[in-house]
Amino acid sequence: MASRRPDSFDGLGYRGRDNPLYGPSYPVRSAGAPAELQHHHWVTTPPDIPGSRNLHPGDRTPQYDRPLGEPGGSGAGWDAPQPSVPPGGMFVEQLSRFAGFGIGLVSLFTENVLAHPCIVFRRQCQVNYHARCHHLSPFSTVPVMYSITKAQGVKSLWKGMGSTFIVHGITLGSEGIISEFTPLPRELPHRWSWKQLTGHLLLKGLTAVVALPFYCASLIETVQSDIVRDESSSGLLDCIREGLARLLGVGAPHSRRLLPLSCLLLPAALHAVLRYTVSSSVQRVVLWFHQRSRKPRADPSNPLDAYFPELVAAWLGALVADVVVFPLETALHRLSLQGTRTIIDATDGPVAAGTSGSPLVLPVNTQYDGFSDCLHAIRRKEGGAGFYRGFGALLAQYALHGALLAAARTLLRLLLLDGKSS
């Protein structure tokens, strides 16, 4: 029986996108195994090479599974008759091997690359308290994103993408290092105790705190307008340099309104832990309902039954978690940008465009005293809708992700039908 990978489970069910600093991860089931013996593996696990067998710890070579003298056993030799496999079945078998890897790759590419413009525009809306339009619907976000792209180029909505990958790497690395040198568990057993759960959530909060300076630097790169950006002096490692500068209090002088990192520790840790908890809980509930409603005749070797339930559960869990923590994320982003002299694009669209047709730019001039003051100021001056500025971009992001998952499922179904018919 194949052993579990050490990072294949989280404490509350299945590992999903832990927090906004994390990169997405989607576990999938091994196809062809009974339901009670199926384990969850990462979709990024290298697939078996056709014609060979990649053994996991605890597995045995197939010829030793049969007694001597039986067909295919160790005593039968190479001249023993081998069962014939129809070409169509071989095609379906090979397709099943690579389906999880391909589908997971499409999901990761959509999450981190294709959906990045929606993330950029959402963050700009969250910190733009001057805007008259809150963009609560995805239909109002598309014209503004198109006008910004038309004026500044296509790459204006993919700015800061490299720094987001750097933050993901720092987050994963710090989580692994902390779990190695502390008793805080990185993964929880299937039967966990409250002490283990508390330590696991504490590890998530500490990881967010460690990555906080670099997250703030990445946030600035993401929302700053390309009109005022100096491309000659910008580089891929600016995120690390700016994060260390803010951590040590050196570098370019900032405004007096710049909040120390100590004021951001509580909202950053709370945001990470709450998002991780909601996402993992929703994933587990969705998979539980799927197991209850699954047909008894469902084929475990079918890639549609083996991979897509986990992907859909991870997608839905991330969506619900982002909706729940959206007000907290708005406050965190405003506090992180305060006093950094960041200039962003106007998010009111063509109405706010100047006579030359190019969008206006606005400075971020907030004067919050802390986390609680930020929450009260938003509620008092902007109302409840102020916490959900840019919510339409979030809906557009997950609509794009869900549409590509549905397209991948349809394509895989057609390939399976074609392979079985041939």
Side-chain angles (χ1 to χ4, degrees):
M1 183 174 62
S3 61
R4 298 177 182 170
R5 293 173 58 111
D7 54 351
S8 60
F9 277 95
D10 62 18
L12 300 176
Y14 303 90
R15 183 180 179 87
R17 298 189 322 170
D18 297 340
N19 54 53
L21 314 179
Y22 273 65
S25 55
Y26 300 95
V28 297
R29 285 198 183 98
S30 300
E36 63 273 8
L37 298 180
Q38 287 180 355
H39 297 298
H40 293 75
H41 298 276
W42 289 71
V43 296
T44 53
T45 301
D48 292 344
I49 302 175
S52 68
R53 175 182 171 96
N54 293 338
L55 298 178
H56 299 281
D59 285 349
R60 293 185 299 174
T61 309
Q63 60 263 28
Y64 294 106
D65 293 337
R66 301 181 179 92
L68 297 177
E70 291 189 12
S74 58
W78 294 99
D79 298 331
Q82 301 294 333
S84 59
V85 180
M90 183 179 299
F91 173 77
V92 173
E93 180 182 358
Q94 293 180 356
L95 181 62
S96 300
R97 290 179 178 179
F98 292 96
F101 179 78
I103 295 170
L105 187 62
V106 170
S107 181
L108 292 176
F109 180 77
T110 305
E111 192 83 19
N112 294 276
V113 180
L114 293 184
H116 191 75
C118 299
I119 298 175
V120 170
F121 188 74
R122 182 186 81 200
R123 292 179 175 181
Q124 287 185 331
C125 292
Q126 286 177 321
V127 300
N128 186 9
Y129 63 94
H130 298 286
R132 296 186 296 271
C133 181
H134 290 66
H135 294 292
L136 302 178
S137 169
F139 301 103
S140 63
T141 62
V142 176
V144 182
M145 296 172 65
Y146 173 76
S147 64
I148 295 176
T149 304
K150 185 178 179 181
Q152 304 180 24
V154 178
K155 66 177 183 179
S156 61
L157 291 180
W158 271 272
K159 54 193 174 186
M161 186 172 61
S163 64
T164 58
F165 288 117
I166 293 177
V167 173
H168 292 165
I170 293 175
T171 304
L172 293 176
S174 60
E175 181 180 0
I177 293 174
I178 295 176
S179 62
E180 287 292 333
F181 292 94
T182 62
L184 302 179
R186 187 176 184 180
E187 307 295 340
L188 293 180
H190 197 67
R191 297 176 178 271
W192 44 265
S193 63
W194 287 107
K195 181 180 180 180
Q196 292 173 326
L197 177 61
T198 303
H200 183 63
L201 297 180
L202 180 59
L203 175 63
K204 299 299 180 182
L206 291 177
T207 302
V209 168
V210 171
L212 179 60
F214 309 99
Y215 180 75
C216 294
S218 175
L219 178 63
I220 295 175
E221 291 187 13
T222 304
V223 302
Q224 187 170 359
S225 175
D226 276 349
I227 296 179
V228 298
R229 186 189 301 270
D230 187 6
E231 296 292 343
S232 60
S233 61
S234 60
L236 182 62
L237 299 180
D238 287 348
C239 172
I240 299 179
R241 188 184 71 247
E242 295 296 333
L244 293 175
R246 182 158 185 178
L247 177 64
L248 301 176
V250 298
H254 296 284
S255 171
R256 293 182 178 179
R257 295 189 301 271
L258 180 67
L259 294 175
L261 289 177
S262 58
C263 297
L264 304 178
L265 297 182
L266 176 61
L270 181 62
H271 176 271
V273 173
L274 182 60
R275 189 182 187 280
Y276 171 77
T277 304
V278 174
S279 176
S280 301
S281 302
V282 172
Q283 288 181 53
R284 186 164 189 176
V285 170
V286 171
L287 289 174
W288 181 79
F289 276 109
H290 172 73
Q291 294 291 338
R292 292 286 298 264
S293 61
R294 189 174 60 176
K295 297 180 180 179
R297 297 182 180 180
D299 185 7
S301 64
N302 188 350
L304 298 179
D305 298 330
Y307 304 131
F308 275 97
E310 283 80 6
L311 291 176
V312 173
W315 174 83
L316 186 60
L319 173 60
V320 175
D322 280 336
V323 172
V324 171
V325 301
F326 199 92
L328 182 59
E329 184 184 69
T330 299
L332 176 61
H333 287 171
R334 292 195 183 187
L335 293 173
S336 301
L337 284 185
Q338 179 171 304
T340 58
R341 305 181 187 273
T342 303
I343 297 178
I344 64 174
D345 297 314
T347 58
D348 280 332
V351 178
T355 55
S356 61
S358 60
L360 298 175
V361 293
L362 298 171
V364 179
N365 295 323
T366 55
Q367 299 182 3
Y368 303 121
D369 295 331
F371 179 55
S372 60
D373 179 66
C374 179
L375 296 177
H376 288 92
I378 294 176
R379 186 182 59 181
R380 183 176 64 256
K381 297 179 180 179
E382 305 173 40
F387 289 103
Y388 290 92
R389 290 182 180 270
F391 187 75
L394 178 69
L395 298 180
Q397 171 188 346
Y398 281 97
L400 176 63
H401 190 186
L404 287 182
L405 284 180
R409 178 183 176 86
T410 303
L411 178 61
L412 182 59
R413 182 188 292 111
L414 294 177
L415 291 176
L416 289 174
L417 291 177
D418 182 58
K420 292 179 179 179
S421 61
S422 61

